[in-house]
Amino acid sequence: MLALVAVHALTAVIAPRLVRLWGRNALYLVALAPGATLVWAFTHAAGVRGGAPVVETVPWVPQLGLELAFRMGTLSWLMVVLVGGVGALVLAYSARYFRSDDPGLGRFAAVFVAFAGAMLGLVVSDDLLLLYVFWELTTVFSYLLIGSDPAKRASRRAAMQALLVTTLGGLAMLAGFVMLGQHAGSYRWSEIAGNLPGGGYLAVAVVLILLGALSKSAIFPFSFWLPGAMAAPTPVSAYLHAAAMVKGGVFLVALMGPAVAEVTPWRPVLLTAGVVTMFLGGWAALRQTDLKLLLAYGTVSQLGLLVVMLGAGTRDTALAGAAMVLAHALFKATLFLTVGLIDHAAGTRDLRELSGLGRRAPVLAGVAALAAASMAGLPPMAGFVAKEAAVEALLHGSGSDLMVLAGVVLGSALTVAYTLRFLWGAFASKPDTAPSEVATVSWPFIAPAAALALAGAAAGLLAPAVDRLLAPYADLYPSAEPGYHLALWHGLTPALGLSVLAVAGGAGLFHLLRRRERVPAALRLPFDSATVYARVIGGVDRLAVELTGATQRGSLPFYLGVILVVLVLLPGGALLIGAPWPQRFHVWDTPLQGVAAAVVIVAAVLAARALRRLTAMILVGVAGYGTALLFILHGAPDLALTQFLVETVTIVMFVLVLRRLPVRFSERPIRSSRRGRVAIGVAVGAVTAGMAYVATGSRQAIPVSVGFPDEAVSYGGGKNIVNVALVDIRAWDTMGEIAVLVVAATGVASLIFRRAGDLHRRADIPGDGRAGYNRPRWLTTGATTRTQSVVLQVVTRLLFHAIVLFSIYLLFSGHNAPGGGFAAGLVAGLALAVRYLAGGRTELNGAAPVDAGVVLGAGLFVAVGTGVGAMLLGGEFLQSAVLDFHLPVLGHVHFVTSVFFDVGVYLIVVGLVLDILRSLGAEMDRQSETETESETETAESREKELV
């Protein structure tokens, strides 16, 4: 089963390419994927009929107990047949429905077959979480199919409406799944069904699941999204809204029915919602003049009937419901395809404009008549067999079942009425309407619809065979009487009499309405769920606008203030109410820590009061250096080194940015506002300090870091615990962090460089640069127009290479001494920053004549390659190996392979700093020079004009 889903996924990937090569005929090849599903299902028919479900399990996330668990019983087999068979025929139909030059045909083919694969996964999933994944995939793919023409507003609106309604229902359903799975200790439905909770817990879970099922199958009050989805192309409607997507909720009801039919909310919710849906859908169908909309409302009505049959909770109604699932897919898909044929042949779907089509296209009329007879419940069609079974089952039920039976008969009469309206509107000759001009319909175009119509007739004629296939599912329900069996003829029974009554009543209603030139206004209901939906969505939009206007005011202090106030109120409140404060208060280990803390506090206060941006930035840096001093006093030289380097690089980056900003901060806020900000700042500082103090002083478990010293030597082969933890023990964390660095560097570059060409030319050397000379130079002085410091150039000449060598030393010594790839990369980045400050962007590009993106990519490649190499050698991803060997000159060498991972970190940090220097430094210089030159040229041109 997983292989079949994978085949659909692969077909979806290559479908656009196939369409580009062979045009619309490629859809015949795409149809092989669902066709293979149909063939596979038929090969397992005998086993499923014998009570041996097909089971397949593939581990997914073993650590979390998740697995790809599939199970195909009788019900799933029926759905697989429909998903595969109808899907293949609709794709074959689409090969003639669309033109080869239709825009988006390749996308349609890919999304359609992907939807078929998701639907296949849904109906064979035994794990409820896996079922939910496929459930939401069908929602996403249906959104893409319904909105396949983004240029049409109606398509976009209908797609969004279907997405919102079914997604919200799906979330409620997921909550119900989690409730059942957590209670049972397993998410396999085959195990949950025998281990259900009781009482209100189960009732709540059932109601949540039913919300998802009813919204998916467009059952009242969620019926409004289905007619709107008719904005999709006709093949989409024939598949999604007849045989696939809308059957998802019906399938879920049928799947869970044998286990939860006795739960209190089950029958009342499903029977009430189903009968109301039958009536409202049939009533609305009688008002439609668009044939496709008529079928859409008819589909809503039929889905209500299916929910009634499968929700009644008895063996015989379940058998009738399964038979109706089969019959409905066959006749409704046929009728939708027929509407597409009519639209292509006559150029319209409006029954007021169609006339005489039956005489001009008799084959098409015959196909439609077969399907319509099944929809109306006329013999010998499958629809008659299924409806007869439903009426018979309800006749022998309780008093509530008889009330439901009355609703079913009334709904069936409405079905007959709108079926006759469909046939009359599409094919009859109307005296007051000119005969329709009909184009020739090719046999390949009409063959899929004809095959589905004939399948509906065959299912009716072979009702005993269908009974033998579907009875194993129905037998899952408890039954006190001998089971009912599907048959075309049971004799003159009360059920047959009620069927005749429904047909006669529907025919009478149709003729009554046909006498009127217009559908009477009385057929319009006083309320409309679509209007309710529109008002709710409008209210939500209005609320969003008001809330956005009140909170998103473009003020950074306001945004930050809201975040900080929440921090003070929630964690701060919890800290005051129930925090386990330590009994012993420890101020410091040495008074020097108090001195360093005082430096940090004074620098922070002065930074908050500074008027100049540069002054505030320097004071913030002093606070950072004070923090590094605290690390040293606490015995953490690695952290202190990293903190010193980060603060230094940060100061350089701030200076680059502050060049383009005003010297002073903007006007200070009023005194009352300042007081509020000071209060928030003090409160945040107190809460943060309190949380840190409580967290560190209230530890009960043994820290995981206790074993790090021994693991650093035995596992990582190094004595620097911090570095070994980064590249060995917690290498996965480091991998994620360097990936974030790569993304950050890319984001900075894309924001600063205005055009893609500038981005690709960022390593080019401007001016005379390296052109015009062949001898190597340390600094290309005179290449830029700004005044440069000779002292800084001389110092740079003396120190640059020493700094680079020092960074390499830190890189290779970091496993046993303070250092490592991150610190070494920062040191190398500072060396490049000095070159830039000494000689500008020309000198920076001369010192590093390589694109920063190449350096970043090389670092990520080396880091990932280290992990992959370990796997190829039989270890785990990022696992290190310790090598001890003797070299003639160097003597004993202790080498750990994680150094390659550290090299990758080193390159990424260097690439990040280089990218920022080029973006915030060199590129901003170039833009400033361009602006200056432009202003100069403008001034000169104005002077010439004045002269």
Side-chain angles (χ1 to χ4, degrees):
M1 286 176 275
L2 181 60
L4 287 173
V5 175
V7 167
H8 282 79
L10 178 62
T11 306
V13 172
I14 65 175
R17 178 63 177 171
L18 295 177
V19 170
R20 284 195 294 270
L21 290 176
W22 294 310
R24 64 179 185 176
N25 291 326
L27 295 180
Y28 289 118
L29 290 176
V30 175
L32 293 178
T37 300
L38 175 66
V39 173
W40 177 84
F42 280 145
T43 60
H44 290 82
V48 171
R49 185 181 61 185
V54 181
V55 179
E56 180 180 340
T57 303
V58 179
W60 185 11
V61 187
Q63 295 83 353
L64 299 178
L66 297 179
E67 56 190 3
L68 303 178
F70 300 100
R71 180 185 179 91
M72 187 178 70
T74 302
L75 178 65
S76 297
W77 179 87
L78 172 63
M79 292 300 299
V80 170
V81 168
L82 296 179
V83 169
V86 178
L89 289 174
V90 171
L91 279 170
Y93 171 90
S94 300
R96 306 268 67 86
Y97 181 86
F98 295 103
R99 298 190 306 271
S100 294
D101 59 350
D102 276 344
L105 181 57
R107 175 179 176 272
F108 164 82
V111 177
F112 190 100
V113 75
F115 175 88
M119 194 68 199
L120 170 64
L122 188 157
V123 298
V124 297
S125 294
D126 189 29
D127 188 284
L128 294 183
L129 295 182
L130 181 62
L131 186 150
Y132 174 75
V133 170
F134 285 116
W135 184 283
E136 291 304 319
L137 284 176
T138 60
T139 297
V140 173
F141 291 137
S142 68
Y143 167 79
L144 297 175
L145 288 171
I146 295 171
S148 58
D149 188 355
K152 293 182 179 179
R153 183 180 180 184
S155 296
R156 299 195 305 270
R157 181 187 299 171
M160 182 59 66
Q161 187 180 75
L163 180 69
L164 286 176
V165 173
T166 55
T167 299
L168 291 176
L171 291 174
M173 180 190 72
L174 176 61
F177 284 171
V178 171
M179 291 177 67
L180 295 181
Q182 289 299 110
H183 175 270
S186 170
Y187 281 92
R188 286 195 180 189
W189 176 247
S190 57
E191 298 177 3
I192 294 174
N195 187 21
L196 291 172
Y201 186 92
L202 179 58
V204 172
V206 166
V207 170
L208 291 172
I209 293 172
L210 287 180
L211 283 175
L214 298 183
S215 63
K216 193 78 164 181
S217 290
I219 302 300
F220 179 84
F222 308 107
S223 307
F224 55 87
W225 72 261
L226 180 55
M230 293 302 107
T234 298
V236 174
S237 301
Y239 190 51
L240 271 66
H241 307 135
M245 178 182 174
V246 294
K247 290 294 197 306
V250 172
F251 166 77
L252 187 60
V253 170
L255 177 69
M256 300 184 67
V260 300
E262 301 301 324
V263 180
T264 301
W266 183 264
R267 280 173 50 88
V269 170
L270 291 178
L271 295 182
T272 303
V275 171
V276 171
T277 304
M278 282 184 63
F279 176 75
L280 294 181
W283 194 261
L286 293 174
R287 294 174 33 228
Q288 306 306 315
T289 57
D290 186 321
L291 293 176
K292 195 174 179 183
L293 276 179
L294 189 155
L295 291 179
Y297 283 102
T299 300
V300 170
S301 180
Q302 294 288 319
L303 290 171
L305 175 61
L306 287 172
V307 167
V308 168
M309 292 180 178
L310 295 169
T314 66
R315 186 260 180 203
D316 292 347
T317 55
L319 179 61
M324 182 55 77
V325 167
L326 173 63
H328 178 264
L330 297 176
F331 69 68
K332 194 53 65 76
T334 302
L335 291 174
F336 272 118
L337 297 183
T338 300
V339 170
L341 290 164
I342 293 172
D343 198 5
H344 267 248
T348 182
R349 302 192 309 246
D350 193 329
L351 58 82
R352 295 168 298 184
E353 300 175 6
L354 293 170
S355 179
L357 195 62
R359 288 183 297 180
R360 289 174 170 77
V363 176
L364 179 59
V367 170
L370 277 176
S374 186
M375 183 166 67
L378 299 179
M381 307 301 295
F384 168 78
V385 174
K387 196 169 295 185
E388 190 84 354
V391 173
E392 180 68 28
L394 292 173
L395 269 173
H396 296 88
S398 61
S400 60
D401 289 338
L402 295 178
M403 295 177 61
V404 172
L405 175 61
V408 169
V409 173
L410 178 59
S412 299
L414 292 174
T415 301
V416 173
Y418 65 69
T419 299
L420 293 174
R421 179 174 173 80
F422 174 86
L423 292 174
W424 169 79
F427 299 104
S429 297
K430 306 179 182 69
D432 54 347
T433 304
S436 301
E437 296 295 331
V438 180
T440 302
V441 178
S442 63
W443 276 105
F445 198 4
I446 199 174
L452 289 169
L454 292 175
L461 294 171
L462 301 175
V466 174
D467 178 84
R468 289 192 294 272
L469 288 171
L470 302 182
Y473 161 70
D475 291 338
L476 297 175
Y477 283 81
S479 177
E481 299 179 359
Y484 178 90
H485 293 283
L486 299 176
L488 186 59
W489 177 251
H490 285 280
L492 299 175
T493 63
L496 180 61
L498 289 175
S499 297
V500 172
L501 178 63
V503 172
L509 179 60
F510 165 71
H511 286 289
L512 177 64
L513 296 177
R514 192 184 139 192
R515 290 184 177 182
R516 309 286 184 91
E517 294 183 0
R518 298 180 180 179
V519 177
L523 289 182
R524 297 184 179 274
L525 297 173
F527 59 91
D528 186 357
S529 55
T531 304
V532 175
Y533 167 83
R535 290 180 179 176
V536 170
I537 294 299
V540 171
D541 289 342
R542 183 70 261 170
L543 178 63
V545 170
E546 296 295 337
L547 188 61
T548 302
T551 57
Q552 304 296 313
R553 304 186 301 183
S555 171
L556 183 60
F558 178 80
Y559 300 156
L560 188 59
V562 171
I563 296 172
L564 295 179
V565 167
V566 173
L567 172 66
V568 171
L569 293 178
L570 297 184
L575 197 66
L576 293 175
I577 295 173
W581 291 91
Q583 299 297 324
R584 181 171 171 268
F585 187 77
H586 187 70
V587 180
W588 55 52
D589 297 324
T590 172
L592 290 177
Q593 292 177 337
V595 175
V599 171
V600 173
I601 293 172
V602 171
V605 172
L606 293 177
R609 296 179 57 83
L611 299 178
R612 293 174 175 268
R613 298 179 190 272
L614 183 60
T615 303
M617 181 270 298
I618 293 174
L619 289 169
V620 170
V622 171
Y625 289 131
T627 304
L629 181 59
L630 285 173
F631 289 152
I632 292 177
L633 295 174
H634 206 67
D638 244 317
L639 296 179
L641 175 63
T642 304
Q643 180 71 21
F644 275 118
L645 293 173
V646 168
E647 288 296 333
T648 305
V649 172
T650 303
I651 289 175
V652 173
M653 302 310 164
F654 265 118
V655 169
L656 297 178
V657 174
L658 292 180
R659 296 177 304 163
R660 302 297 296 270
L661 294 176
V663 176
R664 294 177 177 270
F665 289 106
S666 58
E667 186 177 350
R668 290 260 176 177
I670 60 177
R671 186 178 299 274
S672 61
S673 177
R674 271 187 288 173
R675 290 175 179 172
R677 298 183 185 193
V678 170
I680 292 175
V682 172
V684 170
V687 169
T688 305
M691 291 172 60
Y693 186 74
V694 169
T696 55
S698 303
R699 183 189 297 274
Q700 296 179 358
I702 299 176
V704 295
S705 58
V706 170
F708 278 13
D710 295 333
E711 293 177 356
V713 177
S714 61
Y715 178 74
K719 299 178 181 179
N720 184 350
I721 301 173
V722 174
N723 184 262
V724 172
L726 292 175
V727 299
D728 281 290
I729 301 175
R730 303 188 64 176
W732 267 111
D733 292 346
T734 306
M735 178 67 73
E737 291 163 1
I738 62 177
V740 171
L741 288 179
V742 173
V743 173
T746 305
V748 170
S750 62
L751 287 173
I752 299 300
F753 289 91
R754 298 174 179 175
R755 295 180 297 273
D758 296 335
L759 189 63
H760 293 304
R761 292 192 298 270
R762 55 186 169 177
D764 294 345
I765 300 177
D768 55 6
R770 286 160 50 184
Y773 67 94
N774 296 321
R775 60 186 181 86
R777 299 182 184 180
W778 286 9
L779 297 181
T780 55
T781 57
T784 59
T785 58
R786 66 177 184 175
T787 304
Q788 298 172 340
S789 171
V790 177
V791 175
L792 183 58
Q793 291 181 15
V794 173
V795 172
T796 302
R797 289 174 178 175
L798 293 175
L799 296 181
F800 176 76
H801 295 85
I803 295 174
V804 173
L805 288 175
F806 179 60
S807 74
I808 297 175
Y809 166 78
L810 290 176
L811 170 64
F812 287 99
S813 67
H815 222 59
N816 293 286
F822 188 77
L826 289 174
V827 171
L830 285 172
L832 293 175
V834 170
R835 289 289 290 264
Y836 167 73
L837 295 175
R841 60 194 179 99
T842 301
E843 184 57 33
L844 175 64
N845 290 339
V850 61
D851 191 279
V854 174
V855 181
L856 289 165
L860 192 60
F861 176 80
V862 171
V864 175
T866 303
V868 174
M871 292 180 63
L872 295 177
L873 294 175
E876 297 182 359
F877 187 74
L878 293 176
Q879 181 177 348
S880 300
V882 180
L883 305 177
D884 289 285
F885 51 89
H886 182 83
L887 292 179
V889 178
L890 300 178
H892 177 75
V893 176
H894 176 77
F895 184 78
V896 184
T897 57
S898 61
V899 72
F900 295 116
F901 183 74
D902 234 3
V903 170
V905 176
Y906 175 85
L907 292 175
I908 288 175
V909 175
V910 172
L912 172 66
V913 176
L914 179 61
D915 209 10
I916 293 177
L917 288 172
R918 286 214 174 106
S919 302
L920 301 180
E923 177 61 14
M924 294 180 70
D925 288 344
R926 188 193 66 78
Q927 294 177 11
S928 179
E929 293 169 4
T930 302
E931 293 172 0
T932 303
E933 294 175 358
S934 176
E935 293 175 357
T936 303
E937 293 176 357
T938 302
E940 292 176 353
S941 62
R942 289 180 178 176
E943 290 179 359
K944 291 180 180 180
E945 291 176 357
L946 292 175
V947 172

